[in-house]
Amino acid sequence: MSVRAPAPKTVDLGDPGTFADHDLDEFWRTLRDTAPVHWNPPADGRPGFWVVSRYDDIMAAYRDDEHFTSERGNVLVTLLGGGDAGAGRMLAVTDGHRHHELRKILQRVLSPRVLSDVAAAVRANTRQLIREAVDSGGCDFAEQIAGRIPMTTISNLLGVPERDRDYLLEQTKAALSADTEDVDEVDSEMARNEILLYFMDMVEERRETPGDDVISMLIASSIDGVPLSDEDIVLNCYSLIIGGDETSRLTMIDGVHTLAARPDQWRRLKHGEVAIDTAVDEVLRWASPTMHFGRTVVRETELHGVPLRPGEIVTLWHASGNRDERVFDRPGEYDLGRTPNKHLAFGYGPHFCLGSYLAKVEIAELLMALRDFTTGFEQTGEALRIRSNFLTGFSTLPVRFWPDDSGMKEVDR
Ligand code: HEM
């Protein structure tokens, strides 16, 4: 990646190429210091939008469902494209009473108590994958390990049969981010449709033969006495698979990429000098896999003297808020023992990530398996960066593992 530090006026945050081609640390610092509410002008036929970069302002906007709505989209691609087809039906882009009721339904399947079996399966799956990779010396961590943990977990929850998982993984990768420049917005749109059609078939199947899975539970659920429609169910399955796979996968890849380059932090983890849960939060803060979420102004308000008018798009940048020196001590330092660490990776307020517990379990199990089965690891080839204005991270990460013989011999706990 190039290390050019571009001037704020020349950076277009709507363009996925911006993130692939630039190191934006300096840009974000300049915005936080001099333009905390910055206008990203219209470009290439896309409308302009506000860019909020300070931690406290991001938190305040997330909390404020009086002036801001999620119902016209919550990421740039839908906000700039004129709205989200799932508005008012898919949890993340629904507000008010319906959001509250739908969230209660989905919370039932994503709460720590209900997820204990799922957490045990994550542990077994992760340890097996790491053991195999250590045995074989190395692998593409992105493809062979990170690609198989969140997808397996969320597929187990949704009852997606094993034979369909690779297909769904390919579609989710294409739906949100592009690994190469050949994948454009049309391909992404097609991938999103493929996922919706896939779940349409599954809902039909489950109506005939209910099982012990989230889809069957959603079929049996209603809001204000009205059962969820097939469309509602399909849209929320889509949101779980998209929300549950790519974000966790990119975080794991970033965790290994970053640790491979920082042997001092790896040693702290390996020797038990930092608590796993504390380390997980720093992995999340550092990766900030969702660079932004966004809202549309519904009632005029003001931020740092800048009027925000109804209909305008406001984007909230975790990529910046999680490095805000007003909140984090030495924000540019990777410190697995960092406390406090109230990062914004899962958002905040009424839409706070519903899968945060599951994501943390996945990352914790990865760190524990690495600690137990390896003495260390190194990156052995180039890590390929994804192209997206929403997600950040790598699609490939070749690594070599050095086995910890005593850990590998242990009977798995
Ligand atoms: C919402 C991030 C993993 C399901 C969110 C939001 C963020 C986020 C920032 C708030 C969006 C907004 O305010 O508009 C992440 C990150 C993850 C992760 C960084 C992994 C590292 C997961 C997983 C699942 C999931 C594993 C499901 C199994 C959801 C859902 C919402 C959500 C359903 C919508 C909640 C609502 O609108 O009430 N996520 N997420 N996420 N996430 Fe996650």
Side-chain angles (χ1 to χ4, degrees):
M1 188 172 72
S2 137
V3 286
R4 275 180 297 146
K9 267 191 230 144
T10 64
V11 173
D12 176 10
L13 294 172
D15 176 4
T18 297
F19 304 90
D21 303 338
H22 297 100
D23 178 348
L24 294 178
D25 283 355
E26 203 48 50
F27 163 76
W28 287 124
R29 188 173 338 192
T30 308
L31 284 200
R32 286 193 298 271
D33 289 346
T34 63
V37 187
H38 163 74
W39 179 248
N40 192 100
D44 296 337
R46 286 180 261 109
F49 53 92
W50 293 108
V51 174
V52 176
S53 50
R54 283 193 195 163
Y55 179 98
D56 285 348
D57 297 334
I58 295 171
M59 296 279 268
Y62 267 135
R63 247 192 325 253
D64 181 354
D65 53 5
E66 190 192 327
H67 296 97
F68 302 114
T69 180
S70 295
E71 294 213 346
R72 295 188 210 157
N74 69 341
V75 291
L76 272 174
V77 66
T78 49
L79 286 163
L80 299 177
D84 192 309
R89 293 177 297 171
M90 188 160 85
L91 186 70
V93 285
T94 299
D95 284 329
H97 173 69
R98 195 166 175 85
H99 173 258
H100 183 73
E101 294 301 307
L102 196 53
R103 195 169 160 104
K104 275 200 305 203
I105 293 173
L106 286 164
Q107 230 155 11
R108 289 209 295 265
V109 291
L110 290 170
S111 72
R113 194 174 47 83
V114 175
L115 286 177
S116 61
D117 284 353
V118 176
V122 170
R123 181 174 176 82
N125 183 29
T126 307
R127 293 177 85 78
Q128 186 190 337
L129 287 168
I130 297 285
R131 266 175 178 279
E132 283 169 8
V134 172
D135 262 338
S136 67
C139 65
D140 177 355
F141 178 83
E143 181 91 26
Q144 282 151 268
I145 300 181
R148 303 197 181 271
I149 298 172
M151 192 43 129
T152 305
T153 312
I154 200 79
S155 298
N156 284 343
L157 263 179
L158 290 170
V160 173
E162 218 145 293
R163 61 173 184 276
D164 298 341
R165 294 179 183 183
D166 282 346
Y167 164 77
L168 273 183
L169 183 62
E170 282 318 304
Q171 303 304 324
T172 56
K173 278 186 191 169
L176 282 186
S177 64
D179 288 0
T180 69
E181 293 192 26
D182 311 337
V183 181
D184 59 17
E185 188 40 37
V186 177
D187 297 314
S188 296
E189 178 85 45
M190 273 170 59
R192 289 196 282 274
N193 282 334
E194 287 290 317
I195 300 172
L196 292 172
L197 287 172
Y198 177 84
F199 282 113
M200 207 48 123
D201 286 347
M202 269 199 75
V203 170
E204 232 171 73
E205 254 176 64
R206 289 293 184 281
R207 277 201 188 281
E208 279 169 27
T209 352
D212 179 22
D213 54 65
V214 172
I215 297 185
S216 304
M217 186 281 288
L218 290 174
I219 290 173
S221 300
S222 26
I223 294 181
D224 300 332
V226 181
L228 296 183
S229 69
D230 282 6
E231 251 191 7
D232 289 352
I233 297 170
V234 165
L235 285 166
N236 283 291
C237 290
Y238 170 83
S239 132
L240 285 178
I241 206 131
I242 292 277
D245 172 55
E246 184 114 63
T247 47
S248 304
R249 176 153 50 84
L250 291 171
T251 308
M252 291 181 185
I253 298 168
D254 191 80
V256 169
H257 180 255
T258 309
L259 270 180
R262 289 173 175 75
D264 55 323
Q265 294 299 315
W266 162 250
R267 276 194 294 276
R268 294 176 78 195
L269 184 77
K270 176 74 189 161
H271 298 134
E273 290 163 19
V274 290
I276 292 291
D277 290 353
T278 307
V280 167
D281 275 319
E282 184 68 343
V283 169
L284 279 157
R285 182 187 77 92
W286 197 259
S288 295
T290 54
M291 289 187 287
H292 76 270
F293 271 99
R295 301 289 187 258
T296 305
V297 181
V298 278
R299 289 181 60 188
E300 176 141 357
T301 182
E302 198 190 271
L303 190 55
H304 296 290
V306 177
L308 305 174
R309 302 203 165 84
E312 288 180 342
I313 296 166
V314 177
T315 52
L316 314 169
W317 289 82
H318 306 165
S320 174
N322 276 340
R323 295 281 203 285
D324 189 342
E325 40 293 283
R326 289 155 195 78
V327 174
F328 297 99
D329 193 21
R330 302 163 286 110
E333 221 172 272
Y334 192 62
D335 172 6
L336 288 184
R338 179 182 295 277
T339 51
N341 191 355
K342 294 196 177 312
H343 60 77
L344 288 165
F346 292 124
Y348 190 66
H351 287 280
F352 180 80
C353 177
L354 211 53
S356 64
Y357 169 75
L358 195 53
K360 283 185 169 191
V361 166
E362 290 170 336
I363 300 161
E365 289 300 344
L366 169 69
L367 294 182
M368 288 189 280
L370 290 171
R371 180 197 64 193
D372 294 348
F373 300 142
T374 78
T375 57
F377 40 91
E378 64 177 341
Q379 189 179 330
T380 52
E382 202 193 341
L384 196 66
R385 201 166 261 288
I386 60 169
R387 283 179 81 79
S388 167
N389 62 14
F390 170 48
L391 295 166
T392 183
F394 303 99
S395 58
T396 58
L397 180 64
V399 286
R400 178 179 305 130
F401 293 109
W402 303 308
D404 180 328
D405 292 328
S406 59
M408 290 289 277
K409 269 187 228 130
E410 247 178 55
V411 178
D412 227 341
R413 285 153 289 172

